[in-house]
């Protein structure tokens, strides 16, 4: 091998960079951390739990369009139940923002700007 | 069913990462074992010579600093691609014309930087707590704040750039002629990865909490398939990514490491300042004039030939 010093230095830098998540996880020892969500009030969400888990932002988008574009503030869920459309009034009446929404979003590194306008004194 | 998830969620990713790392290190060591007996830098500017002749330090580097500068510009902004030219037969004037072709540079630049930003953003799925720079990058990338989930600029750019790079190969006759299976495969694979990721984000959404659980398990060497299960779209995306990683060391994509070992880029043009000895040189037996004269001195004297040393 020629230029041994430089080649080995290069390989070591490459290995450190590529294994960054492993070092970082070990340093913070949070490998099995999962968000501990506060239980919601009520016994059913607007849609099924699994749908909400994956698609709640799509539902909120739909809600926003219904209110802002169509002037319709009632949402009929797939099981026929009617909901008054309101991010703060409906979602947060059952869910706690800090203990529910934020927990998950911090874990996933999601930053929402919704709360800068939608405010309900949480 | 569980066994299938085990294979696609844990075994294949480990295997792909292993092949990627070991394969890349192997390729680097192989390259480093080939001697580069003389300097073959491509030089595009005045060489350093006399002090009053202005030299180009980066176009024609003569020391390590110049080489590092040139390499950094090459790796970060693909500077030599800016010199890309295109040859075309102009029917009207019946002549070959050479012209600048900067579009390739633009396509490559946009693609590679989008890829890097997307990979860095993905760190939010692999590490806990999420580092601040990942969040900032994500905010910057989602600057437009349109759609929910937020539209990322790089998602649009990477698809446009890869689409261009693919069409470029198919549109021109010359390029189509020299394009091989592996050229198309690399672009299509990357396009498949990007599109599957985008589809997963906007249409077939999956539960990211379970994704992160799986990723953290794999990276901390305590892998387990999350109980909640993850949508099929995720496994499609992950499998394509694993294919890319496993294919990487055997393909032209190793230029990621190879660019640093290109002799035309990483050698200083200092052949006139330093003597570079060919590493496989063996001592050559020489017979100098002086020795020759010593050998034949008497005969030369007899014949009256001029001698350097009496
Ligand atoms: C070469 C590597 C990869 C590339 C080029 C890539 C590309 C993409 C792209 C373009 C997206 C669209 C959304 C976005 O930009 O964030 C995406 C989303 C996603 N990718 Fe990847 N990806 C790669 C590796 C991985 C790996 C290893 C995982 C495994 C955990 C993964 C999991 C995901 C998930 C879960 C999403 C959806 C994110 C969301 O809904 O916000 N990706 N990917």
């Amino acid at each position: 091998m020629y230029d041994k010093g430089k080649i080995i230095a290069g390989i070591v830098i490459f290995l450190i960079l590529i294994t960054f998540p492993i070092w970082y996880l070990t340093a913070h020892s949070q490998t099995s951390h999962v968000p501990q969500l506060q239980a919601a009030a009520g016994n059913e969400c607007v849609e099924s739990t699994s749908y909400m888990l994956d698609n709640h932002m799509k539902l909120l988008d739909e809600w926003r369009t219904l209110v802002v574009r169509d002037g319709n503030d009632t949402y009929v869920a797939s099981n026929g139940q009617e909901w008054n459309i309101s991010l703060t009034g409906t979602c947060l009446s059952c869910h706690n923002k800090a203990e529910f929404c934020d927990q998950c979003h911090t874990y996933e590194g999601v930053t929402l700007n919704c709360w800068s306008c939608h405010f309900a004194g949480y | 069913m569980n066994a299938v998830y085990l294979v696609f969620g844990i075994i294949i990713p480990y295997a792909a990462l292993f092949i990627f790392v070991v394969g890349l290190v192997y390729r680097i060591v192989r390259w480093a074992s080939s001697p580069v007996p003389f300097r073959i830098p491509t030089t595009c500017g005045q060489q350093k010579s006399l002090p009053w002749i202005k030299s180009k330090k980066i176009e024609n580097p003569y020391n390590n600093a110049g080489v590092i500068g040139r390499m950094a510009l090459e790796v970060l902004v693909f500077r030599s691609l800016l010199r890309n030219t295109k040859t075309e037969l102009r029917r009207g004037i019946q002549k070959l014309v050479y012209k600048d072709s900067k579009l390739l540079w633009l396509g490559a630049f946009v693609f590679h930087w989008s890829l890097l930003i997307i990979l860095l953003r993905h760190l939010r799925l692999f590490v806990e707590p999420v580092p601040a720079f990942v969040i900032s990058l994500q905010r910057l990338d989602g600057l437009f704040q349109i759609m929910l989930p937020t539209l990322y600029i790089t998602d649009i750019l990477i698809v446009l750039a890869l689409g261009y790079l693919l069409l470029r190969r198919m549109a021109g006759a010359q390029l189509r002629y020299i394009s091989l299976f592996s050229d198309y495969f690399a672009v299509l694979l990357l396009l498949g990865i990007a599109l599957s990721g985008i589809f997963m984000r906007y249409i077939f959404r999956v539960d990211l909490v379970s994704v992160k659980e799986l990723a953290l398990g794999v990276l901390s060497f305590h892998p387990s398939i999350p109980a909640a299960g993850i949508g099929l779209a995720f496994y499609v995306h992950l499998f394509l990514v694993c294919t890319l990683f496993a294919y990487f060391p055997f393909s032209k994509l190793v230029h990621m490491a190879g660019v640093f070992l290109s002799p035309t880029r990483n050698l200083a043009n200092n052949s006139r300042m330093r003597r570079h000895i060919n590493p496989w040189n063996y001592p050559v037996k020489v017979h100098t004039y002086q020795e020759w004269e010593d050998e034949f001195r008497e005969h030369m004297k007899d014949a009256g030939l001029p001698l350097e040393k009496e």
Side-chain angles (χ1 to χ4, degrees), chain A residues 40-41 96 105:
Chain A
N96 181 309
H105 294 157

Side-chain angles (χ1 to χ4, degrees), chain B residues 115 118-119 121-122 124-126 152 155 193-194 197-198 200-201 205 208 211 234 237-238 241 244-245:
Chain B
L115 182 69
I118 289 171
L119 283 176
R121 276 204 286 98
H122 270 62
R124 74 182 173 130
L125 300 171
F126 308 142
Y152 290 129
D155 283 10
I193 291 172
I198 291 168
M200 172 161 45
R201 187 169 167 82
R205 287 206 54 86
L208 292 193
V211 170
F234 171 71
H237 185 62
L238 186 64
V241 172
L244 178 76
F245 273 62

Side-chain angles (χ1 to χ4, degrees), chain B residues 6 22 68 297:
Chain B
L6 188 74
V22 175
I68 290 170
R297 175 157 289 109

Side-chain angles (χ1 to χ4, degrees), chain A residues 57 110, chain B residues 13 111 114-115 117-119 121-122 124-126 141 149-150 152 154-156 158-159 190 193-202 204-208 211-212 214-215 230 234 237-238 240-242 244-245:
Chain A
M57 67 298 288
V110 184
Chain B
F111 159 67
S114 302
L115 182 69
I117 293 173
I118 289 171
L119 283 176
R121 276 204 286 98
H122 270 62
R124 74 182 173 130
L125 300 171
F126 308 142
D141 205 351
T150 309
Y152 290 129
T154 48
D155 283 10
I156 307 277
I158 199 169
V159 172
L190 283 159
I193 291 172
L195 288 178
S196 64
I198 291 168
F199 275 117
M200 172 161 45
R201 187 169 167 82
Y202 294 103
F204 310 109
R205 287 206 54 86
V206 299
D207 171 20
L208 292 193
V211 170
K212 189 158 180 174
L214 174 71
I230 314 174
F234 171 71
H237 185 62
L238 186 64
L240 290 176
V241 172
C242 291
L244 178 76
F245 273 62

Side-chain angles (χ1 to χ4, degrees), chain B residues 42-45 56 58-60 70 74 78-86 99-102 105 265:
Chain B
T42 43
T43 57
C44 316
K56 291 268 192 198
I58 286 179
E59 301 289 16
N60 200 336
R70 175 164 76 172
E74 186 65 41
F78 311 161
R79 198 148 161 272
S80 60
L81 263 191
L82 283 169
R83 296 208 176 85
N84 186 40
T85 53
K86 179 156 122 183
K99 51 181 192 183
D100 239 28
S101 169
K102 298 252 192 283
W105 172 82
R265 305 276 101 200

Side-chain angles (χ1 to χ4, degrees), chain A residues 85-105:
Chain A
I85 296 183
S86 170
L87 174 57
T88 45
T90 307
C91 304
L92 296 189
S93 70
C94 292
H95 297 295
N96 181 309
K97 175 182 172 288
E99 299 300 319
F100 186 79
C101 315
D102 290 356
Q103 276 249 349
C104 235
H105 294 157

